[in-house]
Amino acid sequence: MQQEKSSPDTARKKRIALSANSGKKAQKANHSTHPIVQLQNVKRIYTLGENKIYALNGVSFAIKKGDFVTIMGSSGSGKSTLLNMIGCLDLPSSGKVKVNNVDLSKLDDDGLTAIRRNNIGFIFQQFNLIPTLTALENVEIPMIFNGESPARRRKKALAMLKNADLPLEYANHKPNEMSGGQQQRVAIARALANNPPILLADEPTGNLDTKTGHNIMELLKELNAAGTTVIVVTHDPKLEEYAHTTIRIQDGEIIE
Ligand SMILES: Nc1ncnc2c1ncn2[C@@H]1O[C@H](COP(=O)(O)OP(=O)(O)O)[C@@H](O)[C@H]1O
Ligand SMILES: [Mg+2]
């Protein structure tokens, strides 16, 4: 795996200030008590033949706007299932999930798509970039779905890549021409393309070496300081130091 250098703090701070995601939102980054995510007794049961798997077995918690949360647990504890609930990618078997005070169970598919589009950015361990598209084009994809004009898309995508500290000479590179850390930066820029208030990350450093993983977590920390609520799920105890709040999950239940 390739390492990456961290960039100078001052330059980075400037970029964060320039970010489309800061501005008004930064002023609101006051860690207010309003929960932006709420789960009430959420269960997710998978049925495999005769067997029932309680991937989530009655999970309740609330996450405050502006928080930086890590959800920690070993492999198979239900972390991805949980994050998919918050990200409107999956619905509970029972219980309630609210995002921005909207009860997801009351929405149809279009409603869920709208909530997801307006509120959620998602990043993954495997980056999940489209291999045939350049970095810039990958970041533009969510803006196309959001109906932005081509000129505005390009301009915004470049700003998002810059904000994610991708050296601009990589803007026209395809994923296989970039290191893991660079691909994750593109994925973060894409996740933030529509300025969502919530960024969800599923093991975002799992495919990166320690130093690059640290740089990515630093970037998430800066985005959080600029107003984005960040929720990271991980089995890596080292990531806990970045969080304001830690939630522990074991066998589909919150243990702390
Ligand atoms: N689509 C599925 N079908 C059946 N079982 C699943 C499915 N997805 C996850 N599980 C099971 O649910 C549990 C929690 O999985 P997951 O949320 O992926 O855990 P984690 O992300 O913490 O590793 C595991 O036992 C897993 O095998
Ligand atoms: Mg997982």
Side-chain angles (χ1 to χ4, degrees), residues 63-106:
I63 291 175
K64 282 182 251 164
K65 197 171 172 182
D67 206 351
F68 192 134
V69 179
T70 52
I71 300 175
M72 315 269 309
S74 55
S75 179
S77 57
K79 303 183 299 296
S80 294
T81 306
L82 181 56
L83 209 63
N84 290 345
M85 299 282 148
I86 301 171
C88 316
L89 297 177
D90 190 14
L91 288 170
S93 308
S94 66
K96 218 173 245 184
V97 180
K98 286 185 182 176
V99 173
N100 245 339
N101 241 4
V102 177
D103 181 352
L104 301 186
S105 69
K106 302 262 193 296

Short mmCIF file of all heavy atoms in Angstrom, two decimals, residues 63-106:
data_model
loop_
_atom_site.label_atom_id
_atom_site.label_comp_id
_atom_site.label_asym_id
_atom_site.label_seq_id
_atom_site.Cartn_x
_atom_site.Cartn_y
_atom_site.Cartn_z
N ILE A 63 -27.95 10.91 18.10
CA ILE A 63 -26.70 11.59 17.76
C ILE A 63 -26.99 13.07 17.55
O ILE A 63 -27.92 13.44 16.83
CB ILE A 63 -26.06 10.95 16.51
CG1 ILE A 63 -25.58 9.54 16.86
CG2 ILE A 63 -24.92 11.82 15.96
CD1 ILE A 63 -25.05 8.75 15.69
N LYS A 64 -26.19 13.88 18.24
CA LYS A 64 -26.39 15.33 18.16
C LYS A 64 -25.81 15.90 16.88
O LYS A 64 -24.77 15.44 16.41
CB LYS A 64 -25.71 16.01 19.35
CG LYS A 64 -26.49 15.90 20.63
CD LYS A 64 -25.77 16.64 21.73
CE LYS A 64 -25.19 15.67 22.73
NZ LYS A 64 -24.22 16.13 23.63
N LYS A 65 -26.46 16.91 16.39
CA LYS A 65 -25.95 17.64 15.24
C LYS A 65 -24.56 18.18 15.56
O LYS A 65 -24.33 18.72 16.65
CB LYS A 65 -26.90 18.82 15.00
CG LYS A 65 -26.79 19.44 13.66
CD LYS A 65 -27.94 20.42 13.51
CE LYS A 65 -27.80 21.23 12.26
NZ LYS A 65 -28.88 22.19 12.13
N GLY A 66 -23.64 17.99 14.65
CA GLY A 66 -22.29 18.51 14.83
C GLY A 66 -21.35 17.57 15.57
O GLY A 66 -20.17 17.87 15.73
N ASP A 67 -21.86 16.40 15.97
CA ASP A 67 -21.03 15.47 16.72
C ASP A 67 -20.09 14.70 15.78
O ASP A 67 -20.31 14.65 14.56
CB ASP A 67 -21.93 14.47 17.48
CG ASP A 67 -21.25 13.90 18.73
OD1 ASP A 67 -20.04 14.13 18.91
OD2 ASP A 67 -21.94 13.22 19.51
N PHE A 68 -19.04 14.14 16.36
CA PHE A 68 -18.16 13.20 15.66
C PHE A 68 -18.23 11.91 16.46
O PHE A 68 -17.73 11.83 17.58
CB PHE A 68 -16.72 13.74 15.63
CG PHE A 68 -15.79 13.00 14.69
CD1 PHE A 68 -14.95 13.71 13.84
CD2 PHE A 68 -15.75 11.62 14.65
CE1 PHE A 68 -14.09 13.04 12.96
CE2 PHE A 68 -14.91 10.94 13.78
CZ PHE A 68 -14.07 11.66 12.95
N VAL A 69 -18.88 10.91 15.86
CA VAL A 69 -19.19 9.68 16.58
C VAL A 69 -18.43 8.51 15.96
O VAL A 69 -18.39 8.38 14.74
CB VAL A 69 -20.71 9.38 16.49
CG1 VAL A 69 -21.06 8.08 17.22
CG2 VAL A 69 -21.53 10.54 17.07
N THR A 70 -17.82 7.67 16.79
CA THR A 70 -17.36 6.38 16.28
C THR A 70 -18.25 5.30 16.87
O THR A 70 -18.57 5.32 18.06
CB THR A 70 -15.89 6.04 16.63
OG1 THR A 70 -15.70 6.19 18.02
CG2 THR A 70 -14.92 6.92 15.87
N ILE A 71 -18.67 4.38 16.02
CA ILE A 71 -19.41 3.21 16.45
C ILE A 71 -18.44 2.04 16.35
O ILE A 71 -18.00 1.68 15.25
CB ILE A 71 -20.67 2.99 15.59
CG1 ILE A 71 -21.60 4.22 15.70
CG2 ILE A 71 -21.39 1.71 16.01
CD1 ILE A 71 -22.83 4.18 14.81
N MET A 72 -18.06 1.51 17.53
CA MET A 72 -17.01 0.50 17.58
C MET A 72 -17.61 -0.87 17.85
O MET A 72 -18.54 -0.99 18.66
CB MET A 72 -16.04 0.79 18.74
CG MET A 72 -15.58 2.22 18.89
SD MET A 72 -14.11 2.57 17.99
CE MET A 72 -13.08 1.27 18.54
N GLY A 73 -17.04 -1.87 17.21
CA GLY A 73 -17.48 -3.23 17.49
C GLY A 73 -16.70 -4.19 16.62
O GLY A 73 -16.16 -3.80 15.58
N SER A 74 -16.62 -5.45 17.04
CA SER A 74 -15.85 -6.41 16.27
C SER A 74 -16.61 -6.78 14.99
O SER A 74 -17.77 -6.41 14.81
CB SER A 74 -15.56 -7.64 17.12
OG SER A 74 -16.77 -8.15 17.60
N SER A 75 -15.94 -7.53 14.16
CA SER A 75 -16.52 -7.96 12.89
C SER A 75 -17.78 -8.77 13.16
O SER A 75 -17.79 -9.63 14.05
CB SER A 75 -15.47 -8.78 12.14
OG SER A 75 -16.01 -9.23 10.94
N GLY A 76 -18.84 -8.48 12.43
CA GLY A 76 -20.10 -9.22 12.60
C GLY A 76 -20.99 -8.70 13.71
O GLY A 76 -22.06 -9.25 13.97
N SER A 77 -20.58 -7.59 14.38
CA SER A 77 -21.38 -7.09 15.51
C SER A 77 -22.61 -6.30 15.07
O SER A 77 -23.46 -6.00 15.89
CB SER A 77 -20.49 -6.23 16.42
OG SER A 77 -19.91 -5.17 15.69
N GLY A 78 -22.68 -5.95 13.78
CA GLY A 78 -23.86 -5.24 13.27
C GLY A 78 -23.60 -3.81 12.83
O GLY A 78 -24.53 -3.06 12.54
N LYS A 79 -22.34 -3.43 12.75
CA LYS A 79 -21.98 -2.04 12.44
C LYS A 79 -22.48 -1.59 11.06
O LYS A 79 -23.09 -0.52 10.94
CB LYS A 79 -20.45 -1.84 12.50
CG LYS A 79 -19.83 -2.21 13.83
CD LYS A 79 -18.34 -1.93 13.84
CE LYS A 79 -17.55 -2.70 12.79
NZ LYS A 79 -17.57 -4.17 12.97
N SER A 80 -22.22 -2.40 10.05
CA SER A 80 -22.62 -1.99 8.69
C SER A 80 -24.15 -1.96 8.58
O SER A 80 -24.72 -1.05 7.96
CB SER A 80 -22.04 -2.94 7.64
OG SER A 80 -20.64 -2.83 7.62
N THR A 81 -24.78 -2.95 9.20
CA THR A 81 -26.25 -2.98 9.21
C THR A 81 -26.79 -1.69 9.81
O THR A 81 -27.71 -1.06 9.27
CB THR A 81 -26.75 -4.21 10.01
OG1 THR A 81 -26.14 -5.39 9.47
CG2 THR A 81 -28.25 -4.33 9.94
N LEU A 82 -26.18 -1.29 10.92
CA LEU A 82 -26.60 -0.07 11.63
C LEU A 82 -26.40 1.18 10.75
O LEU A 82 -27.30 2.03 10.63
CB LEU A 82 -25.78 0.03 12.91
CG LEU A 82 -26.02 1.19 13.85
CD1 LEU A 82 -27.49 1.22 14.25
CD2 LEU A 82 -25.16 1.03 15.10
N LEU A 83 -25.24 1.27 10.14
CA LEU A 83 -24.96 2.45 9.32
C LEU A 83 -25.90 2.52 8.11
O LEU A 83 -26.34 3.60 7.72
CB LEU A 83 -23.49 2.42 8.85
CG LEU A 83 -22.86 3.77 8.63
CD1 LEU A 83 -22.81 4.57 9.91
CD2 LEU A 83 -21.47 3.64 8.04
N ASN A 84 -26.20 1.34 7.55
CA ASN A 84 -27.12 1.31 6.41
C ASN A 84 -28.52 1.79 6.79
O ASN A 84 -29.24 2.36 5.95
CB ASN A 84 -27.19 -0.10 5.82
CG ASN A 84 -25.89 -0.48 5.13
OD1 ASN A 84 -25.06 0.38 4.84
ND2 ASN A 84 -25.72 -1.76 4.86
N MET A 85 -28.91 1.58 8.05
CA MET A 85 -30.21 2.09 8.53
C MET A 85 -30.20 3.62 8.53
O MET A 85 -31.13 4.26 8.08
CB MET A 85 -30.46 1.66 9.99
CG MET A 85 -30.54 0.19 10.22
SD MET A 85 -32.13 -0.43 9.72
CE MET A 85 -31.65 -2.05 9.19
N ILE A 86 -29.12 4.18 9.10
CA ILE A 86 -29.03 5.64 9.19
C ILE A 86 -28.93 6.24 7.79
O ILE A 86 -29.48 7.30 7.51
CB ILE A 86 -27.80 6.06 10.04
CG1 ILE A 86 -27.90 5.47 11.45
CG2 ILE A 86 -27.67 7.57 10.10
CD1 ILE A 86 -26.64 5.65 12.29
N GLY A 87 -28.26 5.52 6.89
CA GLY A 87 -28.06 6.02 5.52
C GLY A 87 -29.22 5.74 4.59
O GLY A 87 -29.11 5.96 3.38
N CYS A 88 -30.33 5.26 5.13
CA CYS A 88 -31.54 4.97 4.33
C CYS A 88 -31.27 3.96 3.22
O CYS A 88 -31.90 3.98 2.16
CB CYS A 88 -32.14 6.23 3.71
SG CYS A 88 -32.25 7.65 4.76
N LEU A 89 -30.30 3.08 3.43
CA LEU A 89 -30.04 2.04 2.44
C LEU A 89 -30.80 0.77 2.77
O LEU A 89 -30.92 -0.14 1.96
CB LEU A 89 -28.54 1.72 2.37
CG LEU A 89 -27.62 2.85 1.93
CD1 LEU A 89 -26.16 2.42 1.99
CD2 LEU A 89 -27.96 3.32 0.51
N ASP A 90 -31.29 0.69 4.01
CA ASP A 90 -32.00 -0.49 4.46
C ASP A 90 -33.00 -0.02 5.53
O ASP A 90 -32.78 1.02 6.16
CB ASP A 90 -30.98 -1.47 5.06
CG ASP A 90 -31.58 -2.84 5.35
OD1 ASP A 90 -32.69 -3.13 4.85
OD2 ASP A 90 -30.93 -3.60 6.08
N LEU A 91 -34.08 -0.76 5.72
CA LEU A 91 -35.07 -0.37 6.72
C LEU A 91 -35.11 -1.41 7.84
O LEU A 91 -34.84 -2.59 7.61
CB LEU A 91 -36.46 -0.26 6.07
CG LEU A 91 -36.65 0.95 5.15
CD1 LEU A 91 -37.95 0.82 4.36
CD2 LEU A 91 -36.62 2.26 5.94
N PRO A 92 -35.46 -0.98 9.07
CA PRO A 92 -35.50 -1.94 10.18
C PRO A 92 -36.63 -2.94 10.04
O PRO A 92 -37.64 -2.65 9.40
CB PRO A 92 -35.73 -1.05 11.41
CG PRO A 92 -35.98 0.32 10.94
CD PRO A 92 -35.80 0.39 9.47
N SER A 93 -36.45 -4.11 10.65
CA SER A 93 -37.55 -5.09 10.74
C SER A 93 -38.60 -4.56 11.71
O SER A 93 -39.79 -4.77 11.52
CB SER A 93 -37.02 -6.43 11.24
OG SER A 93 -35.93 -6.86 10.46
N SER A 94 -38.13 -3.87 12.78
CA SER A 94 -39.03 -3.14 13.67
C SER A 94 -38.25 -2.02 14.34
O SER A 94 -37.02 -1.99 14.27
CB SER A 94 -39.64 -4.09 14.71
OG SER A 94 -38.63 -4.57 15.57
N GLY A 95 -39.00 -1.12 14.98
CA GLY A 95 -38.34 0.04 15.61
C GLY A 95 -38.32 1.22 14.66
O GLY A 95 -38.81 1.14 13.53
N LYS A 96 -37.77 2.31 15.16
CA LYS A 96 -37.86 3.58 14.44
C LYS A 96 -36.51 4.21 14.16
O LYS A 96 -35.65 4.21 15.05
CB LYS A 96 -38.67 4.55 15.30
CG LYS A 96 -39.60 5.42 14.50
CD LYS A 96 -40.49 6.24 15.40
CE LYS A 96 -41.95 5.85 15.23
NZ LYS A 96 -42.85 6.66 16.00
N VAL A 97 -36.31 4.72 12.96
CA VAL A 97 -35.12 5.50 12.64
C VAL A 97 -35.58 6.88 12.19
O VAL A 97 -36.46 6.99 11.32
CB VAL A 97 -34.29 4.86 11.50
CG1 VAL A 97 -33.05 5.70 11.20
CG2 VAL A 97 -33.88 3.44 11.86
N LYS A 98 -35.03 7.92 12.82
CA LYS A 98 -35.36 9.29 12.40
C LYS A 98 -34.08 9.98 11.95
O LYS A 98 -33.07 9.94 12.65
CB LYS A 98 -35.95 10.09 13.55
CG LYS A 98 -37.37 9.72 13.90
CD LYS A 98 -37.87 10.70 14.96
CE LYS A 98 -39.28 10.37 15.41
NZ LYS A 98 -39.68 11.27 16.50
N VAL A 99 -34.14 10.62 10.78
CA VAL A 99 -33.02 11.42 10.29
C VAL A 99 -33.54 12.84 10.13
O VAL A 99 -34.54 13.07 9.44
CB VAL A 99 -32.49 10.87 8.95
CG1 VAL A 99 -31.45 11.80 8.36
CG2 VAL A 99 -31.89 9.48 9.13
N ASN A 100 -32.87 13.77 10.80
CA ASN A 100 -33.34 15.17 10.77
C ASN A 100 -34.79 15.26 11.20
O ASN A 100 -35.59 16.00 10.60
CB ASN A 100 -33.14 15.78 9.39
CG ASN A 100 -32.13 16.92 9.45
OD1 ASN A 100 -31.89 17.49 10.52
ND2 ASN A 100 -31.56 17.24 8.30
N ASN A 101 -35.16 14.43 12.19
CA ASN A 101 -36.51 14.42 12.75
C ASN A 101 -37.58 13.84 11.82
O ASN A 101 -38.76 13.96 12.11
CB ASN A 101 -36.92 15.80 13.22
CG ASN A 101 -37.21 15.82 14.70
OD1 ASN A 101 -37.03 14.80 15.39
ND2 ASN A 101 -37.65 16.95 15.21
N VAL A 102 -37.17 13.23 10.72
CA VAL A 102 -38.14 12.59 9.84
C VAL A 102 -38.11 11.09 10.11
O VAL A 102 -37.05 10.46 10.09
CB VAL A 102 -37.80 12.85 8.35
CG1 VAL A 102 -38.77 12.11 7.45
CG2 VAL A 102 -37.81 14.33 8.06
N ASP A 103 -39.29 10.52 10.40
CA ASP A 103 -39.43 9.09 10.65
C ASP A 103 -39.37 8.35 9.31
O ASP A 103 -40.26 8.48 8.47
CB ASP A 103 -40.77 8.85 11.35
CG ASP A 103 -41.00 7.39 11.67
OD1 ASP A 103 -40.22 6.53 11.22
OD2 ASP A 103 -41.99 7.11 12.38
N LEU A 104 -38.30 7.58 9.09
CA LEU A 104 -38.09 6.95 7.78
C LEU A 104 -39.18 5.94 7.43
O LEU A 104 -39.45 5.69 6.26
CB LEU A 104 -36.72 6.26 7.73
CG LEU A 104 -35.49 7.15 7.98
CD1 LEU A 104 -34.22 6.36 7.76
CD2 LEU A 104 -35.50 8.39 7.09
N SER A 105 -39.82 5.36 8.47
CA SER A 105 -40.84 4.34 8.19
C SER A 105 -42.07 4.95 7.53
O SER A 105 -42.89 4.24 6.95
CB SER A 105 -41.23 3.62 9.48
OG SER A 105 -41.93 4.52 10.33
N LYS A 106 -42.18 6.28 7.60
CA LYS A 106 -43.36 6.94 7.00
C LYS A 106 -43.14 7.27 5.51
O LYS A 106 -44.03 7.82 4.87
CB LYS A 106 -43.65 8.26 7.74
CG LYS A 106 -43.89 8.10 9.23
CD LYS A 106 -45.37 8.07 9.52
CE LYS A 106 -45.71 8.22 10.98
NZ LYS A 106 -45.22 7.13 11.83
#
